[in-house]
Structures are given as C-alpha cells and as structure tokens.
Amino acid sequence: MADPLAAETPAQAPHPGRWKILALVGVAQLMLILDVTVVAIALPSIGADLGQGRETLTWVVSGYTLAFGGLLLLGGRAADLFGARRLVLAGVLLFTLASLAAGLAATGPVLLGARVAQGLAAALLSPAALSLVVTLFEGEERNKALGIWSSLGGSGAALGVLLGGLLTAGAGWPWVFFVNVPVGVVLLVALALRLPKPQPAAARGTLDVLGAVLVTAATGTLTFSLVRAGDKGWLTASTLGLVLAAAVLYALFVWRQKSAAAPLMDIGLLTRRPVATGTLLILVATALMITVFFLGTFYLQDVRGHNALTTGLLFLPVAAATMVGANAAGRVIGRTGPRALGSVGLLLAALGMAVPALWDGTALMVVGVALAAAGTGVVFVVASATALGQVEPHEAGLASGIVSTFHEFGASLGAAVVSSMAAAGIAGTDASGFSRGFAAGALAAVVSAALVLLIAPAPRPQSAPATS
C-alpha cells in the first residue's frame, strides 16, 4: 500500500537544468583538482627556473592544498549562510585571477602567494559546488551524480599530470596556470546564466573565523613538521615539538567548536559512522594519490631520464584506471555497502604501490601506479557516497566542506610525508628513497583497510514496501 503522506505532500519537481549544472560545476571542480597535480609535473622546471629546492617545491603543492583544506569548513558554512550560487561565482572569479598571478610569478614567494590565493578561491568554490549537487539531486540520481562527481575528481588528478607534461614541455610551466584563465571566464558566464536564483535567505548566522584560523594553523604546523623531517629527522626534538604544537592547536579547535555561539562545524557530525568512514577514506585516498603523482614525476624525470611530455603520457593509464575504478564503484556501491568496497579499493591501492616499492623500472612503475589509481578511484566514490548520502539538505554545505577539507588535508600531509621519506631520491643522491616512499603508501593503505572494516557501517538492508 502506498504511503498516505506521499499523496498529501507531493515531491518538489527536480530542477530541469540539473544535469547541465552538474556538468558545469563538475568542470569547475575538475579545474581545482587538476591544479593539485598539473603542477606536480612542472615542479622540476619550476625549481630550475626559480632556483627553489625540495622544501619550497613541496610547499608549491602543500601551500595550495593547505589553504584549500584549512578554509573549506569556512566555505561550507558560508555556502549554507549566504547561498551556494554566490560562493560558486565568487570562487570562480578569484581562482581565475589567482591563476593569472601564478603564471606571471617571477620569484618563489610570489608564486607561493598566488598558490595560497588559489587555495582560498577553491575553498569558496568546492563545497558550494558539491552542495549544489547534493541539493539538486535526490535518491538514485544523487548516487549517480556523486559517482560522476567523484570520477571527475579522481580522473582529473591523473589528467592533470598529462596536461602538465604537455604544457611544460611546450609553452612552459607558467601555462599550467594560464590555462585556467580562459576556462574560468567561460565558466563564470555560463554558471551565472544557469545556476538557480538564490532562495530567500534563512536566518543569518556568523562565520567562525577563529575556528578556521586554528584548524589551518594546526594542519600547517603538522605539514611543516613533516616537510622538515626529511632533513632534520623524524624523532628530533624540533620535529616532535612541532607535532605537539599541532596537536594543541587541534585541541583548541575542538574546544572552540564546542564553545562558540556559531561554530564552524558540528563536531558531533564527525562521530556519525558514515561521516567518520567517509572522511577517513577521503583523507587516505588523497594522500595515496599525491604519493603516486609526487613521487612518480620526480622518479620518471630525474631517475629514469624521461622528459616532461613523456612523463605526462606515461600517466595516461593512470587516468584510465582511475575512471574505471570510480565508475565501477558508483555502479555497485548500493549493493555492496562501504565496508567491503572501501576495503577492496584500499587493498588494491596497496598492491599497486607495492610494485614500484619492490621493483625498479618505468614499465613496472606505470603498471603499479595504474593499479593503485584504480583502487583510489574506488575509494573516492565510497568516501563521497558514504559521508554525504544520508545528510539532511540543511547540512549539505557543511558536510561537503568536511569531506573536501579532509581531501585537501590528505594532499598536504601526503605530499609532506613522501617528500621527506624520498628526500634523498628527490635531491638525486639516493634513488632508493622512492622505494621507501611507495612502501609507506602501501603500508598506510593496508592499515586503513583494516580500520574501514572496523568502523564502516554495515550494508543497509533493502526496505520492503510499506503495507500500511
């Protein structure tokens, strides 16, 4: 028997342009993800042209992802308060201008400043765009939309390395930033015409700027400690002191969220098993992805002697494997649930990363990282669907911000860890550093798979039709 409430409260008609909007915000998100990995292939050229060493080059990646991740919660809260449409348009505009500044940079500090501005823009844009996806789609359509969203993000990371190779070997490394400018202008016009008009504003709240500063400072301190560990040592007093300082800042952030009148986030949201599982998965998957691209680009260019274009082309199988993994996961997650599928994806990533950890050679590295990319593609879909699949509409911006925050923090921490573990390899003094970096990624994936088996929610039984 049909539910009588359904007849009394007919469902609101879905937005007729929702799939076109998904395509546009998907391209915007793709641009943000590309900007993490498109730079990776250009790092050796940037270092040579601007005279920068390993630590600074690590911050070219981590500075962007740290600003991106540290301010995402603020961006997600702002999307809930001021409307996703406004935040999407502001983010696209700022990202376009910051990309122009990065391409024009002639010194390391100017480039890092532009990268931080790009991260700020991304923090405004990404959670607002994902909030639109969550609110414009419902039911099975939402799962399909999230699968598309996740596959764009995962494949974009690999395609960024290919694009970076083409641009660096051709027009030069500044064009890895300049390419965003025409794309940003077109997106700005198209989104302004297509996005739904703002709804009447709800009761206004305030933005917890102090909370954003605390969580950004905490992650920045932790990232700094991990980057320095490659030169100063992992168990030195300075490294351990910085880690302790980061822990104190994280504790202050939690205190602030519990005591503030308008906290940046509801800490209780992270205690929900679906959200906790999704955030763990997104953190680990992004760290593994960065491990592959950061180590891979230096290994292929500095150890194997390939140029930037060849290196980019060698990552084509990685792009294909990421898309295959993400699309396959989007089709089966409704039947398998996050526990089994997330663990399988992580174990596949571990297997793939073990290949370059144990054996040397270009072909073996490409095969191994392609397997790892397929696994991380699976994990990205599981993470998004698990963390966001059961949130209420009024929590969509915040939940999207949390997922995206852990995505970028994973990139920052992953780049910092592998940069330090492979410091000798990146410096060109000991190629075995690359093996240690890949081995650390494989171990992290195995440990994470075990954690997922413990904390992930069990598959939900199929509900029977209502009979009364």
Side-chain angles (χ1 to χ4, degrees), residues 58 61-62 227 287 290-291 294 410-420:
T58 303
V61 175
S62 293
V227 172
I290 288 296
T291 296
F294 194 92
S412 292
L413 299 175
V417 170
V418 299
S419 171
S420 289

Coordinates of all heavy atoms in Angstrom, one line a residue, residues 58 61-62 227 287 290-291 294 410-420:
T58 N 57.9 21.5 -2.4 CA 56.8 20.8 -1.6 C 55.7 21.7 -1.3 O 54.5 21.4 -1.4 CB 57.3 20.1 -0.4 OG1 58.4 19.2 -0.7 CG2 56.2 19.3 0.3
V61 N 52.9 22.7 -3.8 CA 51.8 21.8 -3.7 C 51.0 22.0 -2.4 O 49.8 22.2 -2.4 CB 52.2 20.3 -3.8 CG1 51.0 19.4 -3.6 CG2 52.8 20.0 -5.2
S62 N 51.7 21.9 -1.3 CA 51.1 22.0 0.0 C 50.5 23.3 0.4 O 49.5 23.4 1.1 CB 52.0 21.5 1.1 OG 52.4 20.2 1.0
V227 N 57.4 18.1 6.5 CA 58.4 18.5 5.4 C 59.8 18.6 6.0 O 60.7 18.1 5.3 CB 57.9 19.8 4.8 CG1 59.0 20.4 3.8 CG2 56.6 19.7 4.1
A287 N 45.9 11.2 0.0 CA 47.3 11.1 0.4 C 48.0 10.1 -0.6 O 49.1 10.3 -1.0 CB 47.5 10.7 1.8
I290 N 48.4 11.6 -4.1 CA 49.5 12.5 -4.1 C 50.9 11.8 -4.1 O 51.8 12.2 -4.7 CB 49.4 13.5 -3.0 CG1 48.3 14.5 -3.3 CG2 50.7 14.3 -2.8 CD1 48.5 15.4 -4.5
T291 N 50.9 10.7 -3.3 CA 52.1 9.9 -3.3 C 52.5 9.4 -4.7 O 53.7 9.5 -5.1 CB 51.9 8.7 -2.3 OG1 51.7 9.2 -1.0 CG2 53.1 7.8 -2.4
F294 N 53.4 12.7 -6.9 CA 54.6 13.4 -6.5 C 55.8 12.6 -6.7 O 56.8 13.1 -7.3 CB 54.4 13.8 -5.0 CG 55.4 14.8 -4.5 CD1 55.1 16.2 -4.5 CD2 56.6 14.5 -4.0 CE1 56.0 17.1 -4.1 CE2 57.5 15.4 -3.5 CZ 57.2 16.8 -3.6
G410 N 44.5 15.7 3.2 CA 45.2 14.4 2.8 C 46.3 14.8 1.7 O 47.4 14.2 1.8
A411 N 46.0 15.7 0.8 CA 47.0 16.1 -0.2 C 48.2 16.8 0.5 O 49.4 16.5 0.2 CB 46.4 17.0 -1.2
S412 N 47.9 17.7 1.4 CA 49.0 18.4 2.1 C 49.9 17.4 2.9 O 51.1 17.5 2.8 CB 48.4 19.4 3.1 OG 47.8 20.5 2.4
L413 N 49.3 16.6 3.7 CA 50.0 15.7 4.5 C 50.7 14.6 3.7 O 51.9 14.2 4.0 CB 49.1 15.0 5.6 CG 48.4 16.0 6.5 CD1 47.5 15.3 7.5 CD2 49.5 16.7 7.4
G414 N 50.0 14.1 2.6 CA 50.7 13.1 1.8 C 51.9 13.7 1.1 O 53.0 13.0 1.0
A415 N 51.8 14.9 0.5 CA 53.0 15.5 -0.1 C 54.1 15.7 0.9 O 55.3 15.4 0.6 CB 52.6 16.8 -0.7
A416 N 53.8 16.1 2.1 CA 54.8 16.4 3.1 C 55.5 15.1 3.5 O 56.8 15.0 3.6 CB 54.2 17.0 4.3
V417 N 54.8 14.0 3.7 CA 55.3 12.7 4.2 C 56.2 12.1 3.1 O 57.4 11.8 3.3 CB 54.2 11.7 4.6 CG1 54.8 10.4 4.8 CG2 53.5 12.2 5.9
V418 N 55.7 12.0 1.9 CA 56.5 11.4 0.8 C 57.7 12.2 0.4 O 58.7 11.7 0.0 CB 55.6 11.0 -0.4 CG1 54.5 10.0 0.0 CG2 55.1 12.2 -1.1
S419 N 57.5 13.6 0.5 CA 58.7 14.4 0.2 C 59.8 14.2 1.1 O 61.0 14.1 0.8 CB 58.2 15.9 0.2 OG 59.4 16.7 0.2
S420 N 59.5 14.0 2.4 CA 60.5 13.7 3.4 C 61.1 12.3 3.3 O 62.3 12.1 3.4 CB 60.0 14.0 4.8 OG 59.8 15.3 5.1

